[in-house]
Amino acid sequence: MPIGRSDNSSMAATHSPSPSHPGQPPSPPLPVAEVDSILINTPISSPLHAQLNLPLLQGALTTAGFNCRIVDDNIDFFHDFLSPLPPPPSQTEFRQNPLSILSYYNDLEARLWERSKGWPKLHVGMRSLAMAHDRLQFDSVLAATRDRESNPFIAYYEKRVRADFIPLKPKIIGIAITFQDQLIPAHTLARVIRREMPTCRIVFGGQMITRCQESMLNHPGIRGLADYLILWDGEIPLVNLHRQLIRGEEVEMTNLIPCHTPNHAPDQAPDASPSPTPPLIQRTGAALSGEAIPEVDFSGFDFERYLLPEYLIPVQTTRGCYGECAFCAIPFGSNKYRLREAPRVVAELQRIQGEIQEKHGRQAVYFKLMEDTSSPSLLLEIADEIAEKNLHVRWETFARLEKSFTREGVLKRLYAGGCRKIHWGLETNDPGILKEMNKKTRPSHTDDVLRLSGEAGIMNFCFVLIGFPGETAAQRKALTDYIIQNRHIHTLTLATFDLTRGSPMERDFDEENALGLSRMPAEEFQVRLPYLVDGQNWKREVVSAGHTMMADIVKARPDIGLVTLFPDQVRGMLCDWFGNDWGSTFVQRYGTENVQEMFQNTERYAKAYREGQEIDPAALPEPLRREHFRTREDLELLTRAVLQRKKYERVRLEQV
């Protein structure tokens, strides 16, 4: 669902574990009234702003005449886990001293680390979750849902369900699983609902469900915790399910998969026999047109609960991605590429501003276009209309480095219409690798787009990908030099190659490929598949190269290093206040102490990783800590896969 799209919402109306600000009482609960459904985002994802998925679904259900309640259990869990949760710096304090936000988030990470010590092998981070149980293996996830000693979400959801969900008497509960970190919390919630609300139908949707549905349906235990799975975009299937279960209508079941027959006893897995008439699974089916994509409905939200001094409001102008990059699974997460109409988008921004002003007495200025890939022409239409109406709107988005951005005045008009940051899919500057990736971008266009964007005043965030099979050390060195020398690259995220479930490389995998790539097929909740290149552990090599590369960049460009310390959610705001080269400004104003510490931590981590030393996650800054847990999981998975492969080959040899 967009229960499938990424990117959480808050329902302070029925649950306020702690005040939003010291001295304020919790928000009073709304009068309890029965609802048709509750839609829930579970922990863990960023607590800095709301996600877009549930407001879109609520918009679709409300338009269809259903009464639903949306719950951002992600932000509510943070308030409960760290109760009382201190508020972020005020708007004034943040503008006057931007480093105050770093101090605030560092303190939060330290508190989360200490609080996590109450459960074995638990670490709750602001954007990561590590637990005693393996989130990728079905049996381990099921074991976690019963393990009170190591799983804090059991007690949390028992309290939550009894206090806030049961009184609403919903007939349907939809649980969004967009990220891997949500897997154990979401299934824990499902088990509690099974026991406490046995007649309620449970629906799973989200990126993880779309990618892993085939594996899930083959496992009785996992299948038994849901009544339905929704694939790809969720509006049409979810509305159809409401029509069927609540109004008794006959509906189309495209991309709406029943998991079992409805008869089940409390606290037991339902009868998990497959449906006798399989529904139609069709990626392009049950898809809204661009014009029919609903406007977001933030009813029930309390934006004050998010841990950001300024509100950052998610909206959507497109859905899907028109690219087919070989390594990328993002396009697979949506039915197809669609565009909304610019006047409708701008009218929605104005409506949201009015609603937030009326409810919170604050002006909503900053918007995040939560989409996979923006349309250059649509962005220009939106920007021109914002400028023409003289709206106080600032926005950021995601885009491909297309030649159309180099047309005379385009990026200046985007800036004049509120654009302050663009996330660009750079990946590499090597033409040969770009061709293998099927990026369909050219370095010459890339240089021009970044230059014109930077000159216009827009902050350039570049996604960089190293380790594509066949990449050489010389090509990585050339990419490092390019980033260091290009002053129009203001910040970046450096990722290493993954063979990702749902990507063209995975869906169309050929054992006889020219890249020397071998892999184990996707199983259970695996999203990043274990793979080898020419029989070697390529992942370990490129992760080490990535550490060295990032250290070299930070050493030569302390401005990039400083910017990466700030959460991405505030970078566009800082661009608006201090200019797109605020990283350099801050280095001159505040010095390089923070950057030097980051550089030293990176070097120590890289050395420990290369030498196979034990790494203490508590000593790592948040970005490195998150990467450490992910890398450890990937390499453990790879080790198991290699052992499985060797066992298989040994058995086959014995058979021969």
Side-chain angles (χ1 to χ4, degrees):
M1 310 176 174
I3 271 184
R5 303 192 52 80
S6 98
D7 289 338
N8 298 343
S9 38
S10 148
M11 190 184 67
T14 61
H15 179 69
S16 296
S18 67
S20 297
H21 295 292
Q24 290 186 355
S27 301
L30 292 177
V32 174
E34 293 184 17
V35 298
D36 295 318
S37 57
I38 300 174
L39 307 181
I40 305 166
N41 271 325
T42 54
I44 294 289
S45 60
S46 172
L48 274 60
H49 66 89
Q51 299 290 351
L52 187 59
N53 52 353
L54 302 190
L56 284 169
L57 291 169
Q58 180 167 243
L61 288 170
T62 301
T63 300
F66 295 102
N67 178 18
C68 83
R69 193 69 59 84
I70 54 178
V71 180
D72 185 356
D73 252 338
N74 181 59
I75 188 60
D76 287 351
F77 175 78
F78 278 101
H79 278 273
D80 185 86
F81 195 66
L82 291 182
S83 179
L85 184 60
S90 68
Q91 293 169 293
T92 301
E93 183 183 1
F94 178 38
R95 291 195 185 205
Q96 292 177 348
N97 178 19
L99 294 189
S100 64
I101 203 75
L102 295 184
S103 176
Y104 174 72
Y105 292 139
N106 287 339
D107 288 346
L108 276 187
E109 284 289 349
R111 290 189 62 193
L112 287 167
W113 186 263
E114 286 301 313
R115 183 77 173 94
S116 297
K117 291 179 180 178
W119 293 265
K121 298 184 179 180
L122 176 71
H123 170 59
V124 176
M126 287 182 62
R127 292 189 293 165
S128 62
L129 175 66
M131 299 183 69
H133 293 272
D134 186 345
R135 64 186 183 180
L136 302 185
Q137 296 189 30
F138 290 161
D139 289 340
S140 181
V141 170
L142 293 173
T145 65
R146 296 185 173 94
D147 185 356
R148 290 181 177 275
E149 182 181 354
S150 68
N151 184 355
F153 299 102
I154 297 176
Y156 172 78
Y157 274 123
E158 287 175 341
K159 177 178 67 174
R160 183 74 152 136
V161 167
R162 292 165 186 166
D164 299 329
F165 295 175
I166 291 176
L168 296 176
K169 299 181 180 179
K171 299 172 183 64
I172 300 168
I173 291 185
I175 302 174
I177 311 180
T178 306
F179 312 110
Q180 286 181 309
D181 284 334
Q182 295 174 306
L183 285 167
I184 290 177
H187 284 83
T188 300
L189 170 59
R191 186 171 294 284
V192 173
I193 293 169
R194 276 276 181 253
R195 183 174 68 250
E196 302 288 337
M197 306 173 70
T199 62
C200 187
R201 302 300 175 85
I202 299 172
V203 188
F204 282 164
Q207 285 270 5
M208 287 299 302
I209 304 306
T210 296
R211 294 190 195 185
C212 303
Q213 54 91 11
E214 189 173 350
S215 301
M216 294 175 69
L217 292 171
N218 286 326
H219 191 283
I222 290 292
R223 189 173 72 221
L225 288 180
D227 298 295
Y228 297 90
L229 306 182
I230 288 181
L231 311 183
W232 294 292
D233 296 2
E235 290 95 343
I236 291 176
L238 188 60
V239 168
N240 282 345
L241 183 63
H242 280 65
R243 289 170 55 205
Q244 180 191 68
L245 296 182
I246 295 170
R247 295 179 182 165
E249 299 177 17
E250 291 189 12
V251 299
E252 182 182 287
M253 297 288 285
T254 302
N255 299 335
L256 176 58
I257 306 175
C259 296
H260 48 75
T261 57
N263 301 317
H264 59 272
D267 203 26
Q268 293 180 1
D271 176 1
S273 57
S275 172
T277 55
L280 176 63
I281 298 177
Q282 184 181 49
R283 179 179 168 188
T284 57
L288 295 169
S289 65
E291 295 78 11
I293 292 173
E295 292 193 8
V296 292
D297 182 351
F298 289 117
S299 301
F301 268 62
D302 182 358
F303 287 102
E304 287 289 306
R305 293 176 67 75
Y306 294 94
L307 309 184
L308 203 61
E310 295 275 356
Y311 295 166
L312 183 62
I313 312 299
V315 293
Q316 191 172 68
T317 71
T318 69
R319 187 170 292 185
C321 179
Y322 58 86
E324 276 291 324
C325 302
F327 60 87
C328 184
I330 288 174
F332 186 70
S334 187
N335 304 65
K336 56 186 177 182
Y337 191 63
R338 287 142 292 165
L339 286 73
R340 297 181 67 199
E341 296 174 343
R344 187 174 167 217
V345 171
V346 175
E348 183 176 21
L349 299 179
Q350 292 178 280
R351 174 183 63 80
I352 293 170
Q353 285 187 317
E355 290 174 352
I356 289 178
Q357 182 69 48
E358 181 179 353
K359 180 175 181 179
H360 297 287
R362 287 177 57 172
Q363 188 175 26
V365 176
Y366 297 98
F367 292 84
K368 187 167 188 174
L369 309 189
M370 299 287 284
E371 44 215 25
D372 300 329
T373 308
S374 293
S375 159
S377 60
L378 180 58
L379 291 179
L380 193 58
E381 289 182 54
I382 292 170
D384 285 346
E385 186 157 346
I386 288 172
E388 183 180 338
K389 293 178 180 292
N390 196 29
L391 302 179
H392 192 196
V393 168
R394 303 290 183 263
W395 52 271
E396 59 187 73
T397 192
F398 300 79
R400 288 168 53 87
L401 287 155
E402 302 285 10
K403 185 179 180 180
S404 56
F405 284 110
T406 66
R407 294 203 312 268
E408 179 66 29
V410 166
L411 285 156
K412 289 181 179 178
R413 286 161 64 187
L414 293 185
Y415 182 86
C419 180
R420 290 299 179 266
K421 184 177 67 171
I422 300 180
H423 301 77
W424 302 104
L426 171 64
E427 320 309 350
T428 182
N429 66 330
D430 188 271
I433 297 176
L434 288 170
K435 184 176 180 180
E436 291 286 351
M437 289 178 171
N438 196 37
K439 280 294 293 184
K440 297 184 178 177
T441 56
R442 296 181 180 179
S444 57
H445 299 159
T446 294
D447 294 343
D448 289 340
V449 172
L450 292 175
R451 174 180 57 80
L452 291 168
S453 177
E455 290 173 351
I458 296 169
M459 186 174 193
N460 291 321
F461 177 120
C462 290
F463 292 106
V464 176
L465 178 66
I466 69 166
F468 194 83
E471 181 187 67
T472 65
Q475 289 168 317
R476 284 194 289 272
K477 177 64 167 61
L479 177 58
T480 304
D481 293 342
Y482 174 78
I483 293 169
I484 291 171
Q485 294 163 13
N486 192 332
R487 301 300 302 186
H488 294 298
I489 295 178
H490 303 115
T491 189
L492 57 85
T493 285
L494 194 156
T496 55
F497 171 77
D498 288 311
L499 182 59
T500 309
R501 194 172 190 168
S503 67
M505 290 182 75
E506 187 269 337
R507 298 199 315 268
D508 305 325
F509 189 80
D510 182 356
E511 295 286 352
E512 303 300 323
N513 63 84
L515 299 174
L517 196 63
S518 58
R519 62 93 167 96
M520 298 293 290
E523 297 178 348
E524 304 185 76
F525 283 131
Q526 294 173 8
V527 170
R528 300 182 304 276
L529 276 59
Y531 70 91
L532 302 173
V533 176
D534 294 328
Q536 303 300 312
N537 187 339
W538 178 257
K539 182 72 174 181
R540 178 173 290 279
E541 177 183 331
V542 296
V543 166
S544 182
H547 295 154
T548 301
M549 183 174 173
M550 195 65 201
D552 290 343
I553 291 170
V554 171
K555 185 176 181 180
R557 289 281 305 275
D559 57 311
I560 289 180
L562 184 62
V563 171
T564 59
L565 292 175
F566 285 80
D568 186 54
Q569 290 86 347
V570 306
R571 295 172 188 166
M573 301 172 187
L574 294 172
C575 172
D576 190 35
W577 304 333
F578 301 102
N580 60 2
D581 198 24
W582 60 265
S584 296
T585 303
F586 284 15
V587 166
Q588 294 170 10
R589 179 182 300 181
Y590 301 114
T592 60
E593 181 179 346
N594 284 311
V595 181
Q596 288 171 347
E597 181 182 357
M598 175 190 179
F599 173 70
Q600 291 165 358
N601 283 333
T602 303
E603 284 204 315
R604 283 195 292 266
Y605 177 65
K607 182 175 184 292
Y609 176 86
R610 286 195 306 270
E611 297 176 359
Q613 299 173 4
E614 187 69 24
I615 296 171
D616 178 12
L620 300 175
E622 192 271 336
L624 278 180
R625 188 181 301 159
R626 190 174 69 254
E627 181 198 343
H628 166 70
F629 287 128
R630 170 176 162 158
T631 301
R632 184 180 67 183
E633 180 180 77
D634 286 348
L635 293 177
E636 287 174 353
L637 184 64
L638 179 59
T639 299
R640 289 200 302 267
V642 170
L643 291 174
Q644 276 185 286
R645 185 72 184 181
K646 287 182 177 178
K647 181 179 179 181
Y648 167 78
E649 290 173 349
R650 184 171 64 252
V651 170
R652 289 290 297 138
L653 182 61
E654 290 172 354
Q655 289 175 338
V656 171

